[in-house]
Amino acid sequence: MSDGALLDLVCGPASPLPETYQRYRLVARIGSGGQADVYRAVRLCGGVSSAPMTVKVFRVDPCRPLVDELRSWDKGDAALMDLNNRGVGAICRRADGFYGPPPHRPGVPSQPGDAVPYQVYDYLHGVNLREYVTRQPGAGGAEPGGRRLNAVTALRTLSGVLRALHLPQESGATPVLHMDVKPANVMVLTNGEIRLIDFTGARYWRPEEITQISFTPDSGGPEAFGGARHVGPPYDVHGFGAVAFFLVTGQSARVDQAGAAPSGPDRSMVRRHPGLDRVPALRDHLHAALADRPGDRPVTAELGAWVDRLGELVRRAGLPSVGVDWSE
């Protein structure tokens, strides 16, 4: 099934009310990842369809106990709901969540015993940052009216999100780690704003909460290979650095010695880029956020100033554009 293909599937939690039993109609698949499939959908209630929504259908790993799978899903779901309730801006908004049968054709009974977790979000009109930058040359992320993403504004926004997660101002609020900050998890909306998405792996920053690590080889910090006790806010800072590296170079931040995605800490290295090597000040500034040792990276509270300095260095460097704007 190709992404974007038109569908007609329904899903929803079990309910004694027939009109709410099948609450969402899936009309197109948006994408697929290691843990879930994502669909564009509408909510159905009494025969009335809602505005577009995003439905994420999780896969249950048959090699893990079901209770562990559900507990993992519940941790990320609880963290996202909490962040939404705190009013954290520039992140996806969770609209619903439930456990129910897999999607099936309208009028066809669902298969018993195969229930899976679901999350429902507001639908975001746009594309993720990786898609935005890797468009054909000349498209360069151009939106109607010729608007291009401003990289400085985008990184400032993202740094503000991480500050709200790691350093909450609400009394008694527990810090949250996103755990998978990367270009594919930053949505670029048609109005030029960004949103950080995919909080499936998000966890409260408490030892008992972090028992599993979301790791993407080309953007995850090498401390992930040491286990959960080594992961903290610097892990998200490394992902932030990977987003910045991608906005400057159009390439992923980490590779192994052969140029492929790293498979272990001894093979993970920051990508060498010829353009950056010609501008040592810019290279070293970018590499600071991608340092192998978490303690060598900027702390979350310093990221705003780090972005301002990055913008200055990029404007002076004159590197080829990857389709974003670095002006103030």
Side-chain angles (χ1 to χ4, degrees), residues 84 88-93 122-129 149 154 157-158 161 178 181-199 243:
N84 288 159
V88 174
I91 65 173
C92 57
R93 195 186 77 83
D122 288 349
Y123 184 77
L124 299 176
H125 295 272
V127 296
N128 72 54
L129 184 58
L149 177 69
T157 300
L158 187 56
V161 171
H178 181 277
V181 180
K182 60 184 178 182
N185 281 341
V186 177
M187 285 290 293
V188 182
L189 308 188
T190 53
N191 64 1
E193 296 179 358
I194 68 158
R195 296 287 187 275
L196 181 61
I197 64 171
D198 196 353
F199 283 74
V243 172

PDB file of all heavy atoms in Angstrom, residues 84 88-93 122-129 149 154 157-158 161 178 181-199 243:
ATOM      1  N   ASN A  84       0.397  18.922  26.456  1.00  0.00           N
ATOM      2  CA  ASN A  84      -0.729  19.663  25.883  1.00  0.00           C
ATOM      3  C   ASN A  84      -1.466  20.443  26.964  1.00  0.00           C
ATOM      4  O   ASN A  84      -1.828  21.607  26.780  1.00  0.00           O
ATOM      5  CB  ASN A  84      -1.697  18.714  25.178  1.00  0.00           C
ATOM      6  CG  ASN A  84      -1.183  18.148  23.860  1.00  0.00           C
ATOM      7  OD1 ASN A  84      -1.663  17.125  23.399  1.00  0.00           O
ATOM      8  ND2 ASN A  84      -0.210  18.792  23.252  1.00  0.00           N
ATOM      9  N   VAL A  88       2.199  23.770  26.199  1.00  0.00           N
ATOM     10  CA  VAL A  88       3.461  23.854  25.457  1.00  0.00           C
ATOM     11  C   VAL A  88       3.152  24.063  23.978  1.00  0.00           C
ATOM     12  O   VAL A  88       2.403  23.288  23.368  1.00  0.00           O
ATOM     13  CB  VAL A  88       4.303  22.576  25.668  1.00  0.00           C
ATOM     14  CG1 VAL A  88       5.549  22.607  24.787  1.00  0.00           C
ATOM     15  CG2 VAL A  88       4.678  22.427  27.134  1.00  0.00           C
ATOM     16  N   GLY A  89       3.700  25.106  23.385  1.00  0.00           N
ATOM     17  CA  GLY A  89       3.428  25.425  21.990  1.00  0.00           C
ATOM     18  C   GLY A  89       4.336  24.678  21.038  1.00  0.00           C
ATOM     19  O   GLY A  89       5.330  24.074  21.427  1.00  0.00           O
ATOM     20  N   ALA A  90       3.970  24.709  19.768  1.00  0.00           N
ATOM     21  CA  ALA A  90       4.778  24.163  18.663  1.00  0.00           C
ATOM     22  C   ALA A  90       5.004  22.661  18.779  1.00  0.00           C
ATOM     23  O   ALA A  90       6.034  22.146  18.333  1.00  0.00           O
ATOM     24  CB  ALA A  90       6.107  24.905  18.541  1.00  0.00           C
ATOM     25  N   ILE A  91       4.034  21.938  19.372  1.00  0.00           N
ATOM     26  CA  ILE A  91       4.076  20.478  19.360  1.00  0.00           C
ATOM     27  C   ILE A  91       2.728  19.979  18.851  1.00  0.00           C
ATOM     28  O   ILE A  91       1.751  20.716  18.790  1.00  0.00           O
ATOM     29  CB  ILE A  91       4.372  19.882  20.751  1.00  0.00           C
ATOM     30  CG1 ILE A  91       3.240  20.196  21.736  1.00  0.00           C
ATOM     31  CG2 ILE A  91       5.708  20.379  21.293  1.00  0.00           C
ATOM     32  CD1 ILE A  91       3.403  19.491  23.087  1.00  0.00           C
ATOM     33  N   CYS A  92       2.685  18.696  18.462  1.00  0.00           N
ATOM     34  CA  CYS A  92       1.425  18.124  18.003  1.00  0.00           C
ATOM     35  C   CYS A  92       0.434  18.064  19.167  1.00  0.00           C
ATOM     36  O   CYS A  92       0.824  17.985  20.333  1.00  0.00           O
ATOM     37  CB  CYS A  92       1.650  16.739  17.408  1.00  0.00           C
ATOM     38  SG  CYS A  92       2.439  15.559  18.535  1.00  0.00           S
ATOM     39  N   ARG A  93      -0.857  18.115  18.843  1.00  0.00           N
ATOM     40  CA  ARG A  93      -1.895  18.071  19.879  1.00  0.00           C
ATOM     41  C   ARG A  93      -2.649  16.769  19.802  1.00  0.00           C
ATOM     42  O   ARG A  93      -3.206  16.415  18.758  1.00  0.00           O
ATOM     43  CB  ARG A  93      -2.867  19.246  19.733  1.00  0.00           C
ATOM     44  CG  ARG A  93      -3.739  19.459  20.968  1.00  0.00           C
ATOM     45  CD  ARG A  93      -4.784  20.533  20.730  1.00  0.00           C
ATOM     46  NE  ARG A  93      -5.888  20.031  19.936  1.00  0.00           N
ATOM     47  CZ  ARG A  93      -6.925  19.355  20.430  1.00  0.00           C
ATOM     48  NH1 ARG A  93      -6.998  19.104  21.715  1.00  0.00           N
ATOM     49  NH2 ARG A  93      -7.898  18.937  19.641  1.00  0.00           N
ATOM     50  N   ASP A 122      -4.521  16.341  15.947  1.00  0.00           N
ATOM     51  CA  ASP A 122      -4.915  17.343  14.964  1.00  0.00           C
ATOM     52  C   ASP A 122      -4.134  17.090  13.674  1.00  0.00           C
ATOM     53  O   ASP A 122      -2.960  16.708  13.710  1.00  0.00           O
ATOM     54  CB  ASP A 122      -4.598  18.759  15.466  1.00  0.00           C
ATOM     55  CG  ASP A 122      -5.519  19.204  16.582  1.00  0.00           C
ATOM     56  OD1 ASP A 122      -6.521  18.507  16.830  1.00  0.00           O
ATOM     57  OD2 ASP A 122      -5.228  20.240  17.203  1.00  0.00           O
ATOM     58  N   TYR A 123      -4.787  17.327  12.554  1.00  0.00           N
ATOM     59  CA  TYR A 123      -4.108  17.142  11.272  1.00  0.00           C
ATOM     60  C   TYR A 123      -3.262  18.375  10.964  1.00  0.00           C
ATOM     61  O   TYR A 123      -3.741  19.514  11.038  1.00  0.00           O
ATOM     62  CB  TYR A 123      -5.136  16.922  10.156  1.00  0.00           C
ATOM     63  CG  TYR A 123      -4.518  16.628   8.813  1.00  0.00           C
ATOM     64  CD1 TYR A 123      -3.996  15.371   8.536  1.00  0.00           C
ATOM     65  CD2 TYR A 123      -4.457  17.611   7.824  1.00  0.00           C
ATOM     66  CE1 TYR A 123      -3.426  15.089   7.309  1.00  0.00           C
ATOM     67  CE2 TYR A 123      -3.882  17.338   6.600  1.00  0.00           C
ATOM     68  CZ  TYR A 123      -3.369  16.074   6.344  1.00  0.00           C
ATOM     69  OH  TYR A 123      -2.790  15.802   5.121  1.00  0.00           O
ATOM     70  N   LEU A 124      -1.990  18.171  10.632  1.00  0.00           N
ATOM     71  CA  LEU A 124      -1.070  19.262  10.333  1.00  0.00           C
ATOM     72  C   LEU A 124      -0.880  19.348   8.822  1.00  0.00           C
ATOM     73  O   LEU A 124      -0.435  18.389   8.187  1.00  0.00           O
ATOM     74  CB  LEU A 124       0.277  19.035  11.024  1.00  0.00           C
ATOM     75  CG  LEU A 124       0.236  18.973  12.552  1.00  0.00           C
ATOM     76  CD1 LEU A 124       1.614  18.648  13.114  1.00  0.00           C
ATOM     77  CD2 LEU A 124      -0.288  20.282  13.130  1.00  0.00           C
ATOM     78  N   HIS A 125      -1.197  20.498   8.258  1.00  0.00           N
ATOM     79  CA  HIS A 125      -1.056  20.693   6.811  1.00  0.00           C
ATOM     80  C   HIS A 125       0.381  21.088   6.517  1.00  0.00           C
ATOM     81  O   HIS A 125       0.811  22.207   6.810  1.00  0.00           O
ATOM     82  CB  HIS A 125      -2.026  21.778   6.324  1.00  0.00           C
ATOM     83  CG  HIS A 125      -3.469  21.396   6.471  1.00  0.00           C
ATOM     84  ND1 HIS A 125      -4.162  20.709   5.492  1.00  0.00           N
ATOM     85  CD2 HIS A 125      -4.346  21.577   7.498  1.00  0.00           C
ATOM     86  CE1 HIS A 125      -5.408  20.508   5.904  1.00  0.00           C
ATOM     87  NE2 HIS A 125      -5.529  21.024   7.108  1.00  0.00           N
ATOM     88  N   GLY A 126       1.138  20.173   5.960  1.00  0.00           N
ATOM     89  CA  GLY A 126       2.528  20.446   5.642  1.00  0.00           C
ATOM     90  C   GLY A 126       3.273  19.151   5.392  1.00  0.00           C
ATOM     91  O   GLY A 126       2.678  18.090   5.165  1.00  0.00           O
ATOM     92  N   VAL A 127       4.604  19.225   5.436  1.00  0.00           N
ATOM     93  CA  VAL A 127       5.463  18.055   5.246  1.00  0.00           C
ATOM     94  C   VAL A 127       6.531  18.077   6.330  1.00  0.00           C
ATOM     95  O   VAL A 127       6.802  19.110   6.935  1.00  0.00           O
ATOM     96  CB  VAL A 127       6.134  18.054   3.855  1.00  0.00           C
ATOM     97  CG1 VAL A 127       5.093  17.932   2.749  1.00  0.00           C
ATOM     98  CG2 VAL A 127       6.984  19.317   3.654  1.00  0.00           C
ATOM     99  N   ASN A 128       7.165  16.931   6.560  1.00  0.00           N
ATOM    100  CA  ASN A 128       8.222  16.949   7.563  1.00  0.00           C
ATOM    101  C   ASN A 128       9.482  17.585   6.987  1.00  0.00           C
ATOM    102  O   ASN A 128       9.632  17.745   5.772  1.00  0.00           O
ATOM    103  CB  ASN A 128       8.472  15.547   8.145  1.00  0.00           C
ATOM    104  CG  ASN A 128       9.163  14.602   7.179  1.00  0.00           C
ATOM    105  OD1 ASN A 128      10.222  14.902   6.633  1.00  0.00           O
ATOM    106  ND2 ASN A 128       8.574  13.433   6.984  1.00  0.00           N
ATOM    107  N   LEU A 129      10.388  17.962   7.876  1.00  0.00           N
ATOM    108  CA  LEU A 129      11.558  18.741   7.471  1.00  0.00           C
ATOM    109  C   LEU A 129      12.438  17.983   6.489  1.00  0.00           C
ATOM    110  O   LEU A 129      13.003  18.578   5.558  1.00  0.00           O
ATOM    111  CB  LEU A 129      12.365  19.124   8.718  1.00  0.00           C
ATOM    112  CG  LEU A 129      13.583  20.020   8.509  1.00  0.00           C
ATOM    113  CD1 LEU A 129      13.196  21.330   7.841  1.00  0.00           C
ATOM    114  CD2 LEU A 129      14.277  20.279   9.841  1.00  0.00           C
ATOM    115  N   LEU A 149      11.152  28.293   4.409  1.00  0.00           N
ATOM    116  CA  LEU A 149      11.328  28.140   5.847  1.00  0.00           C
ATOM    117  C   LEU A 149      12.507  28.974   6.313  1.00  0.00           C
ATOM    118  O   LEU A 149      13.595  28.913   5.733  1.00  0.00           O
ATOM    119  CB  LEU A 149      11.575  26.669   6.169  1.00  0.00           C
ATOM    120  CG  LEU A 149      11.855  26.358   7.645  1.00  0.00           C
ATOM    121  CD1 LEU A 149      10.596  26.565   8.473  1.00  0.00           C
ATOM    122  CD2 LEU A 149      12.372  24.927   7.797  1.00  0.00           C
ATOM    123  N   ALA A 154      12.940  28.623  12.874  1.00  0.00           N
ATOM    124  CA  ALA A 154      12.574  27.234  13.159  1.00  0.00           C
ATOM    125  C   ALA A 154      13.386  26.686  14.325  1.00  0.00           C
ATOM    126  O   ALA A 154      12.835  26.045  15.231  1.00  0.00           O
ATOM    127  CB  ALA A 154      12.786  26.377  11.916  1.00  0.00           C
ATOM    128  N   THR A 157      12.330  28.214  17.591  1.00  0.00           N
ATOM    129  CA  THR A 157      11.086  27.597  18.046  1.00  0.00           C
ATOM    130  C   THR A 157      11.356  26.248  18.680  1.00  0.00           C
ATOM    131  O   THR A 157      10.834  25.929  19.759  1.00  0.00           O
ATOM    132  CB  THR A 157      10.104  27.451  16.874  1.00  0.00           C
ATOM    133  OG1 THR A 157       9.810  28.743  16.320  1.00  0.00           O
ATOM    134  CG2 THR A 157       8.806  26.792  17.324  1.00  0.00           C
ATOM    135  N   LEU A 158      12.168  25.440  18.018  1.00  0.00           N
ATOM    136  CA  LEU A 158      12.474  24.106  18.532  1.00  0.00           C
ATOM    137  C   LEU A 158      13.233  24.190  19.857  1.00  0.00           C
ATOM    138  O   LEU A 158      12.973  23.397  20.773  1.00  0.00           O
ATOM    139  CB  LEU A 158      13.277  23.329  17.498  1.00  0.00           C
ATOM    140  CG  LEU A 158      13.547  21.858  17.800  1.00  0.00           C
ATOM    141  CD1 LEU A 158      12.257  21.100  18.031  1.00  0.00           C
ATOM    142  CD2 LEU A 158      14.348  21.222  16.654  1.00  0.00           C
ATOM    143  N   VAL A 161      10.746  24.742  22.530  1.00  0.00           N
ATOM    144  CA  VAL A 161      10.017  23.519  22.884  1.00  0.00           C
ATOM    145  C   VAL A 161      10.838  22.696  23.871  1.00  0.00           C
ATOM    146  O   VAL A 161      10.327  22.231  24.900  1.00  0.00           O
ATOM    147  CB  VAL A 161       9.690  22.695  21.624  1.00  0.00           C
ATOM    148  CG1 VAL A 161       9.125  21.332  22.014  1.00  0.00           C
ATOM    149  CG2 VAL A 161       8.699  23.428  20.739  1.00  0.00           C
ATOM    150  N   HIS A 178      11.869  14.144  24.919  1.00  0.00           N
ATOM    151  CA  HIS A 178      11.203  13.712  23.689  1.00  0.00           C
ATOM    152  C   HIS A 178      11.780  12.389  23.209  1.00  0.00           C
ATOM    153  O   HIS A 178      11.069  11.506  22.762  1.00  0.00           O
ATOM    154  CB  HIS A 178      11.348  14.775  22.599  1.00  0.00           C
ATOM    155  CG  HIS A 178      10.670  14.423  21.320  1.00  0.00           C
ATOM    156  ND1 HIS A 178      11.264  13.605  20.363  1.00  0.00           N
ATOM    157  CD2 HIS A 178       9.445  14.754  20.823  1.00  0.00           C
ATOM    158  CE1 HIS A 178      10.435  13.464  19.341  1.00  0.00           C
ATOM    159  NE2 HIS A 178       9.324  14.140  19.600  1.00  0.00           N
ATOM    160  N   VAL A 181      14.248  13.464  18.706  1.00  0.00           N
ATOM    161  CA  VAL A 181      14.269  14.704  17.927  1.00  0.00           C
ATOM    162  C   VAL A 181      15.108  14.466  16.676  1.00  0.00           C
ATOM    163  O   VAL A 181      16.267  14.053  16.761  1.00  0.00           O
ATOM    164  CB  VAL A 181      14.867  15.865  18.754  1.00  0.00           C
ATOM    165  CG1 VAL A 181      14.875  17.149  17.929  1.00  0.00           C
ATOM    166  CG2 VAL A 181      14.068  16.067  20.044  1.00  0.00           C
ATOM    167  N   LYS A 182      14.526  14.697  15.509  1.00  0.00           N
ATOM    168  CA  LYS A 182      15.213  14.468  14.236  1.00  0.00           C
ATOM    169  C   LYS A 182      14.441  15.199  13.143  1.00  0.00           C
ATOM    170  O   LYS A 182      13.284  15.610  13.347  1.00  0.00           O
ATOM    171  CB  LYS A 182      15.282  12.974  13.928  1.00  0.00           C
ATOM    172  CG  LYS A 182      13.917  12.289  13.822  1.00  0.00           C
ATOM    173  CD  LYS A 182      14.074  10.787  13.622  1.00  0.00           C
ATOM    174  CE  LYS A 182      12.717  10.072  13.551  1.00  0.00           C
ATOM    175  NZ  LYS A 182      12.868   8.614  13.396  1.00  0.00           N
ATOM    176  N   PRO A 183      15.035  15.391  11.957  1.00  0.00           N
ATOM    177  CA  PRO A 183      14.344  16.129  10.887  1.00  0.00           C
ATOM    178  C   PRO A 183      12.982  15.556  10.524  1.00  0.00           C
ATOM    179  O   PRO A 183      12.041  16.314  10.271  1.00  0.00           O
ATOM    180  CB  PRO A 183      15.328  16.044   9.720  1.00  0.00           C
ATOM    181  CG  PRO A 183      16.671  15.944  10.375  1.00  0.00           C
ATOM    182  CD  PRO A 183      16.444  15.106  11.608  1.00  0.00           C
ATOM    183  N   ALA A 184      12.841  14.244  10.512  1.00  0.00           N
ATOM    184  CA  ALA A 184      11.559  13.647  10.125  1.00  0.00           C
ATOM    185  C   ALA A 184      10.476  13.876  11.159  1.00  0.00           C
ATOM    186  O   ALA A 184       9.290  13.689  10.861  1.00  0.00           O
ATOM    187  CB  ALA A 184      11.728  12.148   9.873  1.00  0.00           C
ATOM    188  N   ASN A 185      10.845  14.295  12.380  1.00  0.00           N
ATOM    189  CA  ASN A 185       9.854  14.560  13.424  1.00  0.00           C
ATOM    190  C   ASN A 185       9.612  16.050  13.629  1.00  0.00           C
ATOM    191  O   ASN A 185       9.043  16.451  14.656  1.00  0.00           O
ATOM    192  CB  ASN A 185      10.272  13.910  14.741  1.00  0.00           C
ATOM    193  CG  ASN A 185       9.982  12.414  14.759  1.00  0.00           C
ATOM    194  OD1 ASN A 185       9.187  11.931  13.967  1.00  0.00           O
ATOM    195  ND2 ASN A 185      10.638  11.695  15.643  1.00  0.00           N
ATOM    196  N   VAL A 186      10.047  16.860  12.680  1.00  0.00           N
ATOM    197  CA  VAL A 186       9.738  18.291  12.677  1.00  0.00           C
ATOM    198  C   VAL A 186       8.861  18.570  11.462  1.00  0.00           C
ATOM    199  O   VAL A 186       9.294  18.387  10.330  1.00  0.00           O
ATOM    200  CB  VAL A 186      11.008  19.150  12.628  1.00  0.00           C
ATOM    201  CG1 VAL A 186      10.662  20.636  12.554  1.00  0.00           C
ATOM    202  CG2 VAL A 186      11.895  18.879  13.843  1.00  0.00           C
ATOM    203  N   MET A 187       7.615  18.973  11.698  1.00  0.00           N
ATOM    204  CA  MET A 187       6.707  19.281  10.600  1.00  0.00           C
ATOM    205  C   MET A 187       6.842  20.750  10.220  1.00  0.00           C
ATOM    206  O   MET A 187       6.875  21.627  11.094  1.00  0.00           O
ATOM    207  CB  MET A 187       5.262  19.001  11.003  1.00  0.00           C
ATOM    208  CG  MET A 187       4.903  17.534  11.049  1.00  0.00           C
ATOM    209  SD  MET A 187       4.835  16.763   9.408  1.00  0.00           S
ATOM    210  CE  MET A 187       3.412  17.592   8.703  1.00  0.00           C
ATOM    211  N   VAL A 188       6.912  21.002   8.903  1.00  0.00           N
ATOM    212  CA  VAL A 188       6.905  22.367   8.376  1.00  0.00           C
ATOM    213  C   VAL A 188       5.507  22.629   7.830  1.00  0.00           C
ATOM    214  O   VAL A 188       5.076  21.986   6.864  1.00  0.00           O
ATOM    215  CB  VAL A 188       7.962  22.537   7.271  1.00  0.00           C
ATOM    216  CG1 VAL A 188       7.968  23.978   6.768  1.00  0.00           C
ATOM    217  CG2 VAL A 188       9.344  22.141   7.768  1.00  0.00           C
ATOM    218  N   LEU A 189       4.788  23.550   8.460  1.00  0.00           N
ATOM    219  CA  LEU A 189       3.417  23.829   8.051  1.00  0.00           C
ATOM    220  C   LEU A 189       3.398  24.780   6.863  1.00  0.00           C
ATOM    221  O   LEU A 189       4.384  25.452   6.551  1.00  0.00           O
ATOM    222  CB  LEU A 189       2.638  24.432   9.224  1.00  0.00           C
ATOM    223  CG  LEU A 189       2.680  23.657  10.541  1.00  0.00           C
ATOM    224  CD1 LEU A 189       1.709  24.264  11.536  1.00  0.00           C
ATOM    225  CD2 LEU A 189       2.396  22.180  10.334  1.00  0.00           C
ATOM    226  N   THR A 190       2.267  24.845   6.189  1.00  0.00           N
ATOM    227  CA  THR A 190       2.158  25.682   5.000  1.00  0.00           C
ATOM    228  C   THR A 190       2.284  27.162   5.310  1.00  0.00           C
ATOM    229  O   THR A 190       2.564  27.960   4.418  1.00  0.00           O
ATOM    230  CB  THR A 190       0.822  25.422   4.280  1.00  0.00           C
ATOM    231  OG1 THR A 190      -0.256  25.562   5.224  1.00  0.00           O
ATOM    232  CG2 THR A 190       0.783  24.012   3.714  1.00  0.00           C
ATOM    233  N   ASN A 191       2.111  27.556   6.580  1.00  0.00           N
ATOM    234  CA  ASN A 191       2.266  28.966   6.947  1.00  0.00           C
ATOM    235  C   ASN A 191       3.691  29.296   7.393  1.00  0.00           C
ATOM    236  O   ASN A 191       3.956  30.395   7.861  1.00  0.00           O
ATOM    237  CB  ASN A 191       1.271  29.361   8.039  1.00  0.00           C
ATOM    238  CG  ASN A 191       1.498  28.610   9.345  1.00  0.00           C
ATOM    239  OD1 ASN A 191       2.415  27.792   9.460  1.00  0.00           O
ATOM    240  ND2 ASN A 191       0.660  28.889  10.331  1.00  0.00           N
ATOM    241  N   GLY A 192       4.608  28.317   7.278  1.00  0.00           N
ATOM    242  CA  GLY A 192       6.000  28.550   7.629  1.00  0.00           C
ATOM    243  C   GLY A 192       6.352  28.217   9.057  1.00  0.00           C
ATOM    244  O   GLY A 192       7.530  28.279   9.426  1.00  0.00           O
ATOM    245  N   GLU A 193       5.372  27.863   9.890  1.00  0.00           N
ATOM    246  CA  GLU A 193       5.658  27.482  11.268  1.00  0.00           C
ATOM    247  C   GLU A 193       6.090  26.019  11.324  1.00  0.00           C
ATOM    248  O   GLU A 193       5.936  25.276  10.352  1.00  0.00           O
ATOM    249  CB  GLU A 193       4.420  27.688  12.140  1.00  0.00           C
ATOM    250  CG  GLU A 193       3.972  29.137  12.250  1.00  0.00           C
ATOM    251  CD  GLU A 193       2.730  29.296  13.100  1.00  0.00           C
ATOM    252  OE1 GLU A 193       2.197  28.265  13.571  1.00  0.00           O
ATOM    253  OE2 GLU A 193       2.278  30.443  13.287  1.00  0.00           O
ATOM    254  N   ILE A 194       6.649  25.610  12.461  1.00  0.00           N
ATOM    255  CA  ILE A 194       7.033  24.212  12.644  1.00  0.00           C
ATOM    256  C   ILE A 194       6.322  23.635  13.858  1.00  0.00           C
ATOM    257  O   ILE A 194       5.856  24.361  14.738  1.00  0.00           O
ATOM    258  CB  ILE A 194       8.552  24.042  12.803  1.00  0.00           C
ATOM    259  CG1 ILE A 194       9.037  24.659  14.128  1.00  0.00           C
ATOM    260  CG2 ILE A 194       9.315  24.599  11.612  1.00  0.00           C
ATOM    261  CD1 ILE A 194      10.348  24.095  14.612  1.00  0.00           C
ATOM    262  N   ARG A 195       6.254  22.297  13.884  1.00  0.00           N
ATOM    263  CA  ARG A 195       5.729  21.570  15.037  1.00  0.00           C
ATOM    264  C   ARG A 195       6.622  20.355  15.278  1.00  0.00           C
ATOM    265  O   ARG A 195       6.993  19.657  14.331  1.00  0.00           O
ATOM    266  CB  ARG A 195       4.295  21.080  14.783  1.00  0.00           C
ATOM    267  CG  ARG A 195       3.266  22.170  14.599  1.00  0.00           C
ATOM    268  CD  ARG A 195       2.922  22.879  15.896  1.00  0.00           C
ATOM    269  NE  ARG A 195       1.820  23.805  15.712  1.00  0.00           N
ATOM    270  CZ  ARG A 195       1.966  25.060  15.284  1.00  0.00           C
ATOM    271  NH1 ARG A 195       3.184  25.525  14.993  1.00  0.00           N
ATOM    272  NH2 ARG A 195       0.921  25.850  15.142  1.00  0.00           N
ATOM    273  N   LEU A 196       6.936  20.091  16.530  1.00  0.00           N
ATOM    274  CA  LEU A 196       7.627  18.861  16.894  1.00  0.00           C
ATOM    275  C   LEU A 196       6.572  17.780  17.099  1.00  0.00           C
ATOM    276  O   LEU A 196       5.613  17.979  17.850  1.00  0.00           O
ATOM    277  CB  LEU A 196       8.438  19.070  18.173  1.00  0.00           C
ATOM    278  CG  LEU A 196       9.245  17.865  18.679  1.00  0.00           C
ATOM    279  CD1 LEU A 196      10.287  17.429  17.659  1.00  0.00           C
ATOM    280  CD2 LEU A 196       9.907  18.188  20.021  1.00  0.00           C
ATOM    281  N   ILE A 197       6.741  16.645  16.447  1.00  0.00           N
ATOM    282  CA  ILE A 197       5.736  15.584  16.468  1.00  0.00           C
ATOM    283  C   ILE A 197       6.352  14.285  17.012  1.00  0.00           C
ATOM    284  O   ILE A 197       7.526  14.230  17.343  1.00  0.00           O
ATOM    285  CB  ILE A 197       5.122  15.343  15.074  1.00  0.00           C
ATOM    286  CG1 ILE A 197       6.190  14.833  14.099  1.00  0.00           C
ATOM    287  CG2 ILE A 197       4.489  16.619  14.545  1.00  0.00           C
ATOM    288  CD1 ILE A 197       5.632  14.357  12.763  1.00  0.00           C
ATOM    289  N   ASP A 198       5.550  13.257  17.052  1.00  0.00           N
ATOM    290  CA  ASP A 198       5.913  11.888  17.429  1.00  0.00           C
ATOM    291  C   ASP A 198       6.493  11.812  18.837  1.00  0.00           C
ATOM    292  O   ASP A 198       7.707  11.698  19.037  1.00  0.00           O
ATOM    293  CB  ASP A 198       6.887  11.270  16.425  1.00  0.00           C
ATOM    294  CG  ASP A 198       6.954   9.751  16.583  1.00  0.00           C
ATOM    295  OD1 ASP A 198       6.345   9.230  17.549  1.00  0.00           O
ATOM    296  OD2 ASP A 198       7.609   9.085  15.763  1.00  0.00           O
ATOM    297  N   PHE A 199       5.598  11.807  19.801  1.00  0.00           N
ATOM    298  CA  PHE A 199       5.974  11.680  21.200  1.00  0.00           C
ATOM    299  C   PHE A 199       5.799  10.244  21.697  1.00  0.00           C
ATOM    300  O   PHE A 199       5.683  10.014  22.903  1.00  0.00           O
ATOM    301  CB  PHE A 199       5.157  12.653  22.055  1.00  0.00           C
ATOM    302  CG  PHE A 199       5.641  14.082  21.967  1.00  0.00           C
ATOM    303  CD1 PHE A 199       5.396  14.844  20.834  1.00  0.00           C
ATOM    304  CD2 PHE A 199       6.357  14.655  23.009  1.00  0.00           C
ATOM    305  CE1 PHE A 199       5.840  16.148  20.739  1.00  0.00           C
ATOM    306  CE2 PHE A 199       6.807  15.961  22.926  1.00  0.00           C
ATOM    307  CZ  PHE A 199       6.556  16.709  21.795  1.00  0.00           C
ATOM    308  N   VAL A 243      19.144  18.197  13.776  1.00  0.00           N
ATOM    309  CA  VAL A 243      18.241  19.010  12.959  1.00  0.00           C
ATOM    310  C   VAL A 243      18.991  20.215  12.395  1.00  0.00           C
ATOM    311  O   VAL A 243      18.866  20.544  11.208  1.00  0.00           O
ATOM    312  CB  VAL A 243      17.020  19.462  13.792  1.00  0.00           C
ATOM    313  CG1 VAL A 243      16.174  20.465  13.008  1.00  0.00           C
ATOM    314  CG2 VAL A 243      16.171  18.264  14.184  1.00  0.00           C
TER     315      VAL A 243
END
